Amino acid sequence: MSAQPVNPNLPPDHVTVIIDGVELAAPKGSMIIHAADKAGIPIPRFCYHEKLPIAANCRMCLVDTEVGGRSAPKPSPACATPVMDGLKVFTRNEKALKAQRNVMEFLLINHPLDCPICDQGGECELQDLSLGYGRSVSRFVERKRVVADEDMGPLVATEMTRCIQCTRCVRFTADIAGTYELGGMQRGENLQIGTYDGKPLTTELSGNVIDVCPVGALTNKVFRFKARPWELTAKPSLGYHDALGSNLFHHVRRGEILRSVPRDNEAVNECWLSDRDRYAHEGLYAADRATVPLIRDGENFREASWDEALAKASQILRDNAADDLGILVHPSTSNEEGALLARLAEALGTGNLDHRIGQCDLSDGAIAEAFAMPAAELEQADAIVIVGSNLRHEVPLLHQRLRKAVKGGTKVHMVNPVDFDVAFGVASKQIVAPSQLADVIGTIDLGDAATIAVIVGGVAENSVHAAAIRKAAADFAAAKRAKLCRIPQGANALGLSQYGVLPASRDAQAMLRDARAGYLIYGIEPGLDFADQLTALKALGGAQVVAFSQFACQSTRQVADVILPIGALAEVDATLTNLDGVAQTALAAGKLPGQAHAGWRVLRALADELKLDGFGFTDLAGLRASIAPKPVQVAKGSAPPLAGNGLEVAASQAIYRVDAVTRRAQALQAHPLNAGPRVLLNPADAATAGLADEAMAKLSTATGTATLQVVIDDRVAPGCAWIETGHGATAPLAASAKVEVVRA
């Protein structure tokens, strides 16, 4: 006869468990710590983390258990003891408290008492729990062990003597990042956590080991020794270096952003943050930051008052209004600024307005669209097809979502010009040159998958063959009843598309190929942000240019007639729309440098100078009340020229050179993933050209030439040359269909 349940009214697959006298319903197979956390009953822990596999090796969560009136002979770890019907748990009785205090005493035997100089001081889990469970005086007088530190790269600082071997960092790199870079070495009291080979961490998510570390063993190397947690103010903000829009806090002291940490949002970034979003704030404080208005004076620039600079800018816009004016906008520009730029373009009578500055082929009039399947739901898909994307570098935390999906049984199929690194197994892959991507999409065999997603990434969207690839992906998705998820090319490309920053006349490429007499460029680094750099610099160099810019860099000075300093997203209140179509709000964190202002304020002042209607608001609330999504009949551009001889160009964005801010973050530039300008060739193509590994090659296109170091890599499709954009050395090649490669 089977035992009767304690509570017959339980939900299906649940049992009754009693914790500290509180009767709870808990799912079968869950652990005591899950039930306690859900009920708000505190149990101390170090190794347990809700997003990581259970290790049960710190033993801090020991509790007393009782079943059927019989007490367990010894305390049980709450994180690894499954619930059962009628289980009684005591977290605060004498037996449990004695066990927890004994564990704490053992943990502190070798821990260095260096809290006054530890960066984790004030937010340390060991510090907090030792206050409640530790002794006031240690009974151990033996010499403490010392563990040698190793250099884990430019982002993570180590003090491994503080390590309590909770293995959270090990489990993060193995199960979340998928790089298996950290592990335990030796045994017993000699156990150490490290990389074994002494090489820097290479995962694009390495900063998360800082967050999961419960002590000061792993800390933020960029933030090290700069401030104490209680000196900092947390400001909610957003990652603006990819379209996911990761939620984060900027920690600020006296107007300076000193570090960034994740802000929990299960639908977006869970509790993680990519290194790009975590460390990019360092770039805000570069030496070439635009801090005062500048006006060209011959070959040089001179500082000017805002009144003089706005008068100069308005004169340029008056002299080059209507079709003579082109307005080019960076795709991470906020919704508020974008709506005002669209309003300004309309008032000046120009339809030459676009944010798609990094895309070569706009012949189909394609604009950013929200994912048909929200990013968080990709974990439940039966099959996912990735088309033209180095996803791990393009949207690191979307790549991490797919890793979770694969672990849950999802089959991933890839169609790419390069066999890009991913941290999960792939069901099938087709590695072909860019011109063949559209042809092979339809040949993918998905079996009997019911829920399918097709993800189209930047390698495809920014290709000279983009229109054909987009059509093939859409046709394939329609035939398979799949959800089409095109990654917006820019942090707010979707929002800018919704708020009308799109051409009614010439698109970005057309207004550069057919040069205008005047331009307004917004948030752009002219030397590196355009798809076709040589054409862009030629067009801008021969025109009058008003530059709204965060940086007074060399390329901006090269083309601009007036530079108006504006704030970056981390310094202003703004709204961005992420790839799911969700509008998210960021609050101003850092202090605006010098005389810089929020972009919307400068646009309003410029409109007043031009005496334009529609800019009568006086604050951000008034601005937001005055704007709304604006449908635009998008003008279709012409297809880019595909002439030329040689190898096809496959271009992807360098992970830490996607925009002006990341390019100036020194720690990111020192990261091993920032490989530098180079060209990667298939061994057969390198042999045909007579090129050896690490040789220098001259690459010639229809528009320009470049000299790059050769890397021979069999991941590259035959007939293809892979480059990364964001480098000045590769800028002449990105928008080219073909390139001739010879020995330099």
Side-chain angles (χ1 to χ4, degrees), residues 27-246:
K28 289 181 180 178
S30 63
M31 303 298 159
I32 292 173
I33 204 166
H34 298 148
D37 284 354
K38 188 174 181 181
I41 298 171
I43 295 178
R45 81 288 302 270
F46 289 115
C47 70
Y48 174 78
H49 189 286
E50 63 178 355
K51 293 290 185 180
L52 300 176
I54 291 171
N57 56 4
C58 79
R59 318 309 276 186
M60 192 65 213
C61 64
L62 290 175
V63 294
D64 188 18
T65 58
E66 180 183 306
V67 181
R70 297 181 61 184
S71 179
K74 58 183 180 180
S76 306
C79 69
T81 303
V83 295
M84 62 181 71
D85 209 33
L87 176 70
K88 291 185 178 180
V89 180
F90 305 94
T91 71
R92 305 287 296 170
N93 67 5
E94 183 180 355
K95 186 176 179 180
L97 287 174
K98 183 179 179 181
Q100 292 161 3
R101 286 168 179 158
N102 287 342
V103 169
M104 175 60 69
E105 188 171 13
F106 279 121
L107 285 174
L108 292 177
I109 289 174
N110 281 311
H111 194 78
L113 301 180
D114 58 354
C115 300
I117 61 164
C118 177
D119 257 355
Q120 197 82 345
E123 51 190 7
C124 172
E125 295 175 47
L126 182 63
Q127 226 176 21
D128 294 342
L129 290 179
S130 66
L131 185 65
Y133 298 90
R135 298 172 62 94
S136 58
V137 178
S138 174
R139 293 186 290 174
F140 291 85
V141 295
E142 291 79 7
R143 179 182 295 176
K144 293 177 181 284
R145 78 166 191 165
V146 176
V147 179
D149 293 325
E150 60 177 284
D151 187 356
M152 291 190 183
L155 307 182
V156 179
T158 60
E159 290 284 350
M160 299 312 291
T161 301
R162 299 171 183 157
C163 178
I164 61 171
Q165 291 88 44
C166 72
T167 70
R168 282 187 185 179
C169 60
V170 175
R171 286 173 282 147
F172 175 82
T173 58
D175 293 276
I176 306 300
T179 53
Y180 300 90
E181 294 179 87
L182 293 173
M185 298 171 285
Q186 304 184 51
R187 301 179 68 183
E189 71 167 355
N190 295 319
L191 175 63
Q192 299 180 22
I193 303 299
T195 62
Y196 185 74
D197 60 6
K199 293 181 179 178
L201 297 178
T202 59
T203 170
E204 65 284 358
L205 307 176
S206 65
N208 292 288
V209 302
I210 300 164
D211 299 328
V212 300
C213 181
V215 295
L218 302 173
T219 55
N220 186 323
K221 188 173 279 190
V222 175
F223 173 70
R224 202 177 194 198
F225 304 142
K226 286 189 175 178
R228 287 299 195 182
W230 53 84
E231 299 179 81
L232 305 175
T233 302
K235 295 286 188 177
S237 191
L238 302 169
Y240 56 102
H241 310 293
D242 59 48
L244 185 64
S246 294

Side-chain angles (χ1 to χ4, degrees), residues 377 481 560 645 669 702:
E377 295 179 14
R481 297 183 179 178
N645 298 311
Q669 297 311 303

Side-chain angles (χ1 to χ4, degrees), residues 320-393:
N320 302 282
D323 194 46
D324 286 337
L325 179 66
I327 300 179
L328 296 158
V329 182
H330 195 278
S332 66
T333 301
S334 70
N335 288 332
E336 292 83 358
E337 295 163 291
L340 291 186
L341 286 162
R343 191 176 296 175
L344 180 67
E346 185 176 5
L348 293 173
T350 180
N352 306 325
L353 167 69
D354 208 351
H355 70 275
R356 301 167 299 170
I357 60 174
Q359 296 178 256
C360 300
D361 185 3
L362 299 170
S363 58
D364 56 349
I367 62 173
E369 299 170 350
F371 271 26
M373 180 183 291
E377 295 179 14
L378 290 170
E379 297 174 29
Q380 281 76 52
D382 297 318
I384 297 174
V385 180
I386 302 174
V387 179
S389 177
N390 186 1
L391 190 63
R392 189 168 182 171
H393 289 190

Side-chain angles (χ1 to χ4, degrees), residues 75 140 214 225 436 531 555 633 638 675 724:
F140 291 85
F225 304 142
Q436 301 173 41
S555 63
Q633 187 65 38
S638 58
E724 289 188 321

